[in-house]
Amino acid sequence: MGMPSLLLCGVSIALPLFVTADECKEIEMYNETISESQPFAFNCTYTLLTNMAVNLTWYKTFSKIPVTKNRQSRIHQDQTWILFLPLAQEDSEIYQCVIRNTDGCYSLPVNLTVYKKHSCGSSIRSPMNSLDDYQQILPIGKSGSLNCPLYFPESCILDSIKWYKDCEEIKMGKQFAPSGTKLLVDNVSAEDHGNYACTARLTHIGRQFTVRKSISVNTKEVGYGGRIPNITYPKNNSIEVQLGSTLIVDCNITDVKENSNLRCWRAHGTLVDEYYKDSKRIREGIETNVSLKDNIFYTMNITFSEVKMEDYGLPFMCHAGVSAAYIILTLPAPDFRAYLIGGVFALLLLVLSILCIYNSFKIDIILWYRSAFYSTQTIDDEKVYDAYVLYPKCPRESQGHDVDTLVLKLLPEVLEKQCGYKLFIFGRDEFPGQAVANVIDENIKLCRRLIVIVAPESSGFSLLKNMSEEQIAVYNALIQDGMKVILIELEKIKDYSTMPESIQYIRQKHGAIRWSGDFAEQSQCAKTKFWKNVRYRMPPRRYPPSSPVQLLKHPCSCMAGKWDVDMGFVTR
Ligand SMILES: *[C@@H]1O[C@H](CO)[C@@H](O)[C@H](O)[C@H]1NC(C)=O
Ligand SMILES: *[C@@H]1O[C@H](CO)[C@@H](O)[C@H](O)[C@H]1NC(C)=O
Ligand SMILES: *[C@@H]1O[C@H](CO)[C@@H](O)[C@H](O)[C@H]1NC(C)=O
Ligand SMILES: *[C@@H]1O[C@H](CO)[C@@H](O)[C@H](O)[C@H]1NC(C)=O
Ligand SMILES: *[C@@H]1O[C@H](CO)[C@@H](O)[C@H](O)[C@H]1NC(C)=O
Ligand SMILES: *[C@@H]1O[C@H](CO)[C@@H](O)[C@H](O)[C@H]1NC(C)=O
Ligand SMILES: *[C@@H]1O[C@H](CO)[C@@H](O)[C@H](O)[C@H]1NC(C)=O
Ligand SMILES: *[C@@H]1O[C@H](CO)[C@@H](O)[C@H](O)[C@H]1NC(C)=O
Ligand SMILES: *[C@@H]1O[C@H](CO)[C@@H](O)[C@H](O)[C@H]1NC(C)=O
Ligand SMILES: *[C@@H]1O[C@H](CO)[C@@H](O)[C@H](O)[C@H]1NC(C)=O
């Protein structure tokens, strides 16, 4: 019982520390942009909660640590204020004022952005510096006043207020007179607009700081009530719109009743009705108004009967007196998914077509590559022949005659004469009187390939019967050694099951080349499909060092010159 209650106790103590602001009702965020190295203060005021008996705490949002109330600290809470003495660059963060009272909890976030200080000495005025400018108005021909916006808690004593215009201190006297935090301006003229600034000395428990506020001042003709019209929409935003569509955009303005401002839409620096007076493609709508308590709300739209390319990227300005705000049309972002699918599809198509091309031209490509890049030196593998030709011998005519023609005439003509290969053909190359077994045994080891000619059995011509057992045995052994075998079928063979198993295996694994063409010795050419197929399976070509010149002279030579592409369309 001891442990759980202890845990429960621990949780109930820890809980309030973690839940601080999380379940509080959030009020709209304030945005503050202030230059660094000067004091800054923000009062947590929320009109609905100004009744007493509130607990108010400032937090640094991301650390969830309450801001200290120690007055010596650079950042501390002073009553309802958060006070920075002074601001530093790294103070840019979201702060949160959490208000708790009997009926609930509210949190008010403040997004504080601190930027580098603008010094009057520097010639360039960075655009950032205008962000914390306060805008004020002076009425032309009348007297007006400017207010130095110094908002600090009571613990801060402010004095020595000075005023500047365009970085030069204003001489008090004829036109200008100080009054507390105000500057009175007499007989305002149009030239009085510009960049003003006020500075003040701030004393906080014996320490002194300088506060500097920039004020952007506009002048206004009489009749202007002293407030600038508020354009609530547009907000210098962009609008995505399709080319050719119609578009209607409102300009919503609130202004005080006394103001008699001109409100209009402009583009290219002119009124849109004027600029597009011929085509009437873009037109300004008729202004409507609604009276509120002491303001008046105006709406005036702009109508694009058809959006054209030239409209994109161009600001269309809504003007209301000194206020202005624009919209910019942009093309809708392209549909990313469509592009992706299209891209993948195109890639797939490309890969497929490359595979297709490679498959149909594989042999040509490889033969060309060999002829172009393989050296003409003999391969140094201690072999003498490029291929051993194994074929069935038949005492009878017909088929047997064809086999003999192929082996003894056509193979030598093409592979030896035209391509420079060296073949060992049993029955042609052995020395007379040698024992058959010895001939096979010795010579087959000196060959790089084994060419096996097979013929259909139907013609009474059995491979098994017509090849010596020894030949088959050696041939089996060689297959086990991994020697490459080129299987040439004289005719289509319907039934392989009567062939030796090793032949069936070769046929299954590497396929066979079917003989095509006639048996005339003169019409053979190394560049026909059948012979290319055979050459492709032969070792990369080598030339006998003695006879390349003679080879080159042959019209069908498989040897290419240095620039001669041996793909059948260029011959020497
Ligand atoms: C402060 O800025 C945020 C966006 O950055 C915006 O949603 C919010 O309305 C702004 N608050 C005020 C009071 O302008
Ligand atoms: C600061 O806020 C508190 C409470 O929200 C309010 O009572 C007080 O008047 C404010 N102070 C100033 C100087 O505005
Ligand atoms: C405010 O907080 C103090 C202690 O931090 C507490 O004693 C007091 O009751 C709280 N007041 C309210 C209204 O929550
Ligand atoms: C805080 O203000 C900065 C600068 O104005 C802005 O970039 C950022 O988005 C704002 N943060 C939030 C949460 O609104
Ligand atoms: C106001 O200034 C204008 C010129 O800026 C001058 O002509 C005029 O006399 C001045 N009026 C008064 C009352 O000072
Ligand atoms: C303009 O109107 C908006 C929305 O009504 C309001 O948030 C903003 O404070 C107003 N600005 C001025 C300068 O009155
Ligand atoms: C502008 O005001 C009109 C009329 O009150 C309203 O219907 C419309 O939504 C407002 N447009 C914007 C963008 O605030
Ligand atoms: C645009 O203004 C015209 C008056 O000029 C009005 O008839 C029309 O309804 C307005 N369109 C929209 C969408 O507010
Ligand atoms: C408001 O609109 C009415 C007609 O709709 C017009 O008579 C009046 O002058 C307008 N008021 C202002 C201040 O523009
Ligand atoms: C919009 O742009 C105009 C002109 O560039 C500028 O005067 C105005 O202050 C800008 N308004 C906002 C909300 O950024």
Side-chain angles (χ1 to χ4, degrees):
M1 192 208 154
M3 268 304 273
S5 66
L6 212 77
L7 262 173
L8 210 70
C9 186
V11 167
S12 59
I13 288 171
L15 216 56
L17 290 176
F18 288 115
V19 293
T20 47
D22 293 333
E23 76 263 317
C24 290
K25 188 177 184 293
E26 195 156 298
I27 298 159
E28 197 198 2
M29 182 178 286
Y30 279 83
N31 302 306
E32 287 284 351
T33 309
I34 308 289
S35 64
E36 65 170 350
S37 309
Q38 59 168 325
F40 171 70
F42 191 93
N43 192 12
C44 183
T45 44
Y46 186 49
T47 46
L48 297 176
L49 290 168
T50 38
N51 49 347
M52 68 281 89
V54 293
N55 265 4
L56 188 151
T57 315
W58 277 98
Y59 290 91
K60 268 189 154 186
T61 301
F62 295 120
S63 59
K64 298 244 153 103
I65 300 167
V67 171
T68 178
K69 291 186 177 165
N70 177 359
R71 295 185 148 216
Q72 302 296 332
S73 184
R74 186 173 69 83
I75 306 172
H76 68 262
Q77 180 176 345
D78 184 351
Q79 313 285 343
T80 56
W81 299 76
I82 185 169
L83 193 53
F84 297 80
L85 293 170
L87 261 186
Q89 189 83 40
E90 67 267 22
D91 294 337
S92 289
E93 203 182 313
I94 292 170
Y95 296 84
Q96 209 167 18
C97 159
V98 175
I99 307 161
R100 284 195 184 81
N101 69 357
T102 40
D103 23 270
C105 166
Y106 300 85
S107 91
L108 184 136
V110 178
N111 181 4
L112 182 63
T113 308
V114 182
Y115 66 87
K116 276 240 170 339
K117 193 176 174 173
H118 155 66
S119 78
C120 256
S122 69
S123 52
I124 319 138
R125 204 175 140 82
S126 93
M128 270 302 276
N129 290 335
S130 57
L131 279 177
D132 70 337
D133 277 5
Y134 294 83
Q135 299 204 335
Q136 296 186 23
I137 303 267
L138 290 172
I140 292 175
K142 290 188 171 179
S143 60
S145 69
L146 299 177
N147 185 28
C148 189
L150 297 167
Y151 304 119
F152 288 95
E154 285 160 1
S155 60
C156 299
I157 297 146
L158 293 153
D159 56 9
S160 308
I161 295 171
K162 287 184 182 139
W163 286 88
Y164 301 83
K165 184 179 184 228
D166 297 323
C167 286
E168 292 210 24
E169 193 175 348
I170 293 171
K171 289 192 192 72
M172 298 302 159
K174 272 191 284 177
Q175 201 193 356
F176 298 99
S179 162
T181 62
K182 284 198 165 119
L183 176 72
L184 304 179
V185 187
D186 226 21
N187 191 12
V188 174
S189 68
E191 292 85 55
D192 289 326
H193 75 91
N195 298 311
Y196 286 70
C198 59
T199 61
R201 187 174 67 189
L202 185 152
T203 313
H204 182 262
I205 334 175
R207 289 166 70 211
Q208 291 192 338
F209 304 90
T210 304
V211 186
R212 183 189 169 89
K213 300 283 179 190
S214 302
I215 302 163
S216 163
V217 175
N218 275 307
T219 51
K220 189 62 200 157
E221 287 293 348
V222 217
Y224 185 76
R227 270 184 51 195
I228 56 170
N230 186 356
I231 302 180
T232 50
Y233 191 87
K235 290 177 187 288
N236 296 353
N237 52 309
S238 59
I239 294 177
E240 272 188 9
V241 61
Q242 291 282 1
L243 187 65
S245 55
T246 55
L247 175 72
I248 298 170
V249 181
D250 282 334
C251 181
N252 289 353
I253 304 154
T254 30
D255 204 348
V256 288
K257 284 194 171 136
E258 311 85 67
N259 279 357
S260 54
N261 282 310
L262 174 72
R263 288 165 292 271
C264 58
W265 278 99
R266 285 169 185 265
H268 306 278
T270 10
L271 299 171
V272 291
D273 280 349
E274 180 69 24
Y275 195 86
Y276 299 96
K277 67 168 179 276
D278 296 330
S279 66
K280 301 212 185 313
R281 188 170 61 84
I282 303 174
R283 300 179 68 183
E284 186 180 295
I286 295 158
E287 178 184 300
T288 58
N289 65 62
V290 178
S291 274
L292 306 170
K293 206 171 84 205
D294 41 23
N295 285 335
I296 190 159
F297 177 79
Y298 300 92
T299 297
M300 177 187 45
N301 63 28
I302 183 170
T303 307
F304 297 74
S305 59
E306 181 195 355
V307 173
K308 289 203 170 164
M309 211 58 212
E310 68 205 51
D311 302 337
Y312 293 108
L314 180 74
F316 288 89
M317 282 265 188
C318 175
H319 289 262
V322 291
S323 303
Y326 58 82
I327 49 152
I328 284 190
L329 306 189
T330 58
L331 274 167
D335 187 357
F336 177 68
R337 261 188 313 170
Y339 275 96
L340 193 76
I341 291 168
V344 167
F345 191 72
L347 201 74
L348 222 69
L349 216 67
L350 187 76
V351 168
L352 273 177
S353 50
I354 286 175
L355 279 178
C356 216
I357 289 171
Y358 180 74
N359 258 331
S360 40
F361 291 104
K362 183 169 84 178
I363 291 176
D364 285 318
I365 291 168
I366 287 182
L367 289 179
W368 169 78
Y369 176 83
R370 283 184 191 170
S371 71
F373 298 110
Y374 269 85
S375 86
T376 57
Q377 302 302 307
T378 38
I379 309 157
D380 188 20
D381 57 359
E382 295 172 343
K383 307 249 169 168
V384 177
Y385 301 103
D386 289 301
Y388 184 98
V389 185
L390 194 61
Y391 64 103
K393 288 208 193 67
C394 178
R396 270 179 276 161
E397 278 89 68
S398 68
Q399 283 274 299
H401 178 69
D402 285 349
V403 172
D404 286 347
T405 310
L406 178 64
V407 172
L408 297 172
K409 295 225 174 81
L410 307 188
L411 277 181
E413 161 66 22
V414 175
L415 293 185
E416 291 189 322
K417 272 213 201 118
Q418 295 181 16
C419 298
Y421 285 119
K422 209 169 164 197
L423 307 175
F424 184 91
I425 302 172
F426 190 81
R428 183 191 78 167
D429 295 333
E430 78 273 20
F431 298 109
Q434 251 184 315
V436 172
N438 285 349
V439 171
I440 296 167
D441 197 33
E442 281 164 18
N443 290 305
I444 209 161
K445 288 200 174 79
L446 299 174
C447 298
R448 297 189 182 90
R449 295 282 188 278
L450 181 62
I451 298 178
V452 180
I453 317 274
V454 289
E457 210 169 346
S458 56
S459 55
F461 183 86
S462 160
L463 186 85
L464 265 176
K465 278 181 213 143
N466 289 287
M467 257 182 220
S468 70
E469 299 249 348
E470 267 168 300
Q471 270 184 304
I472 303 290
V474 171
Y475 149 72
N476 283 346
L478 283 166
I479 289 180
Q480 276 156 24
D481 281 355
M483 189 189 214
K484 285 189 183 149
V485 180
I486 304 169
L487 199 60
I488 299 178
E489 292 174 358
L490 208 59
E491 271 175 35
K492 185 175 169 61
I493 292 178
K494 291 193 189 80
D495 186 13
Y496 256 94
S497 58
T498 55
M499 296 277 171
E501 261 176 46
S502 45
I503 296 228
Q504 291 179 31
Y505 172 76
I506 292 293
R507 156 82 196 180
Q508 216 179 8
K509 189 119 193 258
H510 304 289
I513 310 169
R514 177 97 38 83
W515 162 254
S516 64
D518 56 42
F519 287 95
E521 200 179 334
Q522 291 74 28
S523 63
Q524 297 307 313
C525 182
K527 281 166 185 156
T528 58
K529 192 162 174 267
F530 171 79
W531 289 112
K532 275 187 182 171
N533 247 318
V534 176
R535 283 163 57 202
Y536 168 67
R537 282 158 218 241
M538 288 294 283
R541 196 157 38 110
R542 73 183 174 88
Y543 308 106
S546 56
S547 59
V549 178
Q550 189 195 339
L551 279 174
L552 274 175
K553 278 187 202 144
H554 196 288
C556 274
S557 167
C558 23
M559 185 183 196
K562 273 206 171 59
W563 44 267
D564 189 351
V565 180
D566 183 18
M567 279 179 74
F569 40 82
V570 186
T571 44
R572 287 181 79 179

